[in-house]
Each structure stands twice: as structure tokens, then as C-alpha cells.
Amino acid sequence: MEELKTILNEIIKDKTGYITFLTGAGISAESGLPTYRSIDGIWIKGTKYHRPEEFGTFKYFSQEPEEVWQYNLFWKKMIAEAQPNAGHLALTEIESLLADRFRLITQNVDGLHQRAGTRKLYEIHGSKQKVRCSNECSEPIDFPENVKFKEYTEDLTPEDIDYLKCTKCGNWLRPNTLWFDESYNEKNYHFDTANHIADHTDILFVIGTSGSTTLPVNIVETVKIRAKWIVIINLENDTYFHSILKGSKKLNSFQESSTVALPQLKIIMEEIINSSIF
Ligand SMILES: [Zn+2]
């Protein structure tokens, strides 16, 4: 990390752009949450096997809302039992060191960054902590407290179904998350803001994400085109991000878990800031 320290020293002392972090499923996996696209991401209902790309769609929700909610309540249970880890907490500490230069864009919908206390947070795939009317009649609201989280095989109760209906128009509420057959937008997913951040970033840390959705790829491409620094922290060293950044002189790559790398990074930033004369 010595080279990175030199780079960060210059960026922290001489530049004014954002120091941006982009996180994906890898950081939550270290809190015990299965990655969405791994084998654990497959949802089995009765004898039917579904891949996220099939049932994680508005189309499927429109046909089988109860089944999609059952799956989501099972996830809600796993999320509620998971805790933010050393990586999430280090990012919150890094935010307090960097103040307004810090930005965190996450692909995760589990709310663990929020629970860890991060404020300048942009959840570009939404959050399971919120719901909204599937008929889009109103703004997103907090997840209804009265709805009980589920075991894998538990069905919805009539009370659950009542509480999962919009109180204004009576249509189903839906998770406030981006499905595979939907497009990014600013209103629910910070699309314009995320692109603006990418345009004004001096160094981008890409953590535990492999590059399978379009906005994260756009963000990395934008930072690359602007010839700014990119740092990959990932247990794998052959992700799509590695391939699009191959040969880049401004790439640092660490084959490391985020719970190990981020606390180290926090210490480096602390040393740089403490050695500065302001
Ligand atoms: Zn409604």
C-alpha cells in the first residue's frame, strides 16, 4: 500500500475532487449475506427454481406479488440478523476524516452502510429498508413495521398482505429496489447524482463488485476516461472491472477482503491528514 499512500497524499493535499467509494455484494458477503448472483441467490418455490434475472423483475412481481414478497421477507430476515462489518465501519470513519470530499455509491440494497452510520451514501439499486406503491402513486416510505420477516418456507399471512398494500390507492407496495427489467432514474436510484460524482472524482475505490450492471460500469469508465486514479479491492483478481482497466497506468489493485483492506486504508488516510498543516 506504499504507492497508494503516495498517491493519496497528493490527492488529499493538492486536489479538491471527490474521493469516491463504489461497493458491491462482496462487502456484505463478509457480514454473512449471500451474493445475489451466486448459487445462494437462487430462489426455490415449491418445485420451481428461479434465477434472480427471472423473478427479480416487475413483470414477475405483477404476476406473483405474494411470492416475490415472500422472497423479500426472507431476505429481510437475513439482513436484520446481519451486522455491519469492519469494512462498513471503516468507511464511516473514512467519511469523518474526509468530510465533504467523501462519497459512497453502493449497489447493495441491504442498508448495512446506513446502519454503519455512513451519510453521503447513494444506494443506486435502492434499498430493502424502504417500500413504495407499485402504482407509483406516492413517495417511498419506511418498511411497514407490522410485517413480520419470514423463514424460507413461510407464507404471507392475511395481515402481512394488508400491511403490504398502499394505504392511498390499495395497490401492492413493492420493495424500493431496482428490478432487472427496469431502468435507472434519479428519483429512486440517484442516477444523475452518481454520474455527477463520477465526473468530479479524483480517486475511485471499487470494492467487492465485479461489474455486472450498467451504472457501476459507467462510473468506472468515466473515472478512467478522465485519467483519474482507480483502486480495486476484491478477493478476485479477474473481474470485468479488472479487464476494462487492464494496462491502465492509474490502477492499483489489491486482492484482499474489504474487512482487512478498508481499516488499513483508514489508518493511511488518518496519517496523511494528521501530517498536514492546515
Ligand atoms: Zn398507491
Side-chain angles (χ1 to χ4, degrees), residues 2 21 52 57 60 68 76 102-103 109 114 132-133 137 143 158 161 180 182 191 203 208 210 217 223 238 253 261 271:
E2 272 312 302
F21 296 80
T57 60
Y60 197 90
V68 172
K76 286 286 289 178
F102 175 93
R103 291 291 183 275
V109 296
Q114 207 175 37
R132 65 180 203 261
C133 174
C137 86
F143 187 86
I161 293 170
F180 287 97
E182 297 180 312
F191 180 77
I203 185 165
S210 54
V217 170
V223 176
D238 57 351
S253 183
E271 284 169 3

Side-chain angles (χ1 to χ4, degrees), residues 21 27 84-99 102 104 111-121 262-263 266:
F21 296 80
I27 190 167
N85 61 47
H88 295 105
L89 297 170
L91 283 170
T92 301
E93 292 176 298
I94 289 170
E95 177 174 27
S96 60
L97 290 170
L98 298 175
F102 175 93
L104 172 54
L112 289 179
H113 285 303
Q114 207 175 37
R115 277 169 60 193
T118 299
R119 289 166 186 276
K120 286 281 187 314
L121 171 66
L262 290 173
K266 187 214 97 183

Side-chain angles (χ1 to χ4, degrees), residues 132-138 165-173:
R132 65 180 203 261
C133 174
S134 60
N135 199 32
E136 307 292 341
C137 86
S138 49
K165 296 286 174 68
C166 174
T167 53
K168 285 195 175 167
C169 74
N171 278 290
W172 279 96
L173 295 170

Side-chain angles (χ1 to χ4, degrees), residues 1-2 4-5 8 21 23 26-27 30 85-91 93-94 97 205-208 231-236 252-270:
M1 285 212 173
E2 272 312 302
L4 179 59
K5 191 173 178 178
L8 272 172
F21 296 80
T23 63
I27 190 167
E30 292 182 67
N85 61 47
H88 295 105
L89 297 170
L91 283 170
E93 292 176 298
I94 289 170
L97 290 170
F205 293 85
V206 180
I207 300 157
V231 180
I232 297 182
I233 297 169
N234 203 309
L235 281 170
E236 292 166 35
N252 266 241
S253 183
F254 298 93
Q255 194 172 0
E256 187 64 88
S257 72
S258 43
T259 48
V260 170
L262 290 173
Q264 287 175 2
L265 185 63
K266 187 214 97 183
I267 291 167
I268 290 174
M269 290 188 176
E270 220 163 29

